[in-house]
Amino acid sequence: MSIRVAVCYGAPEDPDAFDRHYADVHVPLARAVPGLVDFTWGTLDSLDDAPPPYYAIASLFFADEASLKAGLASTEMKAAGKDLRNFATGGAVMFTQTERSVLQP
């Protein structure tokens, strides 16, 4: 079991600029957050003709609540949070989720 911080990004004004900034600037900032055990992100495609509700989703995984709290309070997380205004023109929704694998013991 782990705890995930999900960041759901709305459609940006300029998707190419979003992707470049995210890969070149934001990923290095977020990777530096202490306590991370995994970090993934990707853009979304719909399974039908409807547009997906978000442009991209990032998942930051922490081993436990203590690691999550320390990571969220860190200067590195503050820097990553401050960077949102530089590229997330479509806004961002954030939440935590306790992850439980149904395939792994």
Side-chain angles (χ1 to χ4, degrees), residues 10-102:
E13 294 169 6
D14 182 342
D16 291 334
F18 176 102
D19 292 351
R20 275 192 311 277
H21 186 95
Y22 198 88
D24 296 342
V25 177
H26 197 71
V27 165
L29 290 171
R31 285 183 66 166
V33 172
L36 277 180
V37 294
D38 199 6
F39 171 28
T40 65
W41 85 281
T43 55
L44 307 181
D45 291 311
S46 182
L47 292 174
D48 57 22
D49 291 332
Y54 300 107
Y55 174 74
I57 297 178
S59 297
L60 293 86
F61 294 90
F62 296 85
D64 52 39
E65 192 169 340
S67 297
L68 169 69
K69 287 181 179 179
L72 291 177
S74 70
T75 57
E76 293 87 352
M77 183 65 88
K78 287 178 177 55
K82 199 174 200 178
D83 186 48
L84 289 176
R85 71 181 94 175
N86 297 320
F87 69 95
T89 56
V93 174
M94 298 179 214
F95 58 89
T96 62
Q97 175 181 343
T98 301
E99 297 278 321
R100 293 175 182 88
S101 177
V102 295

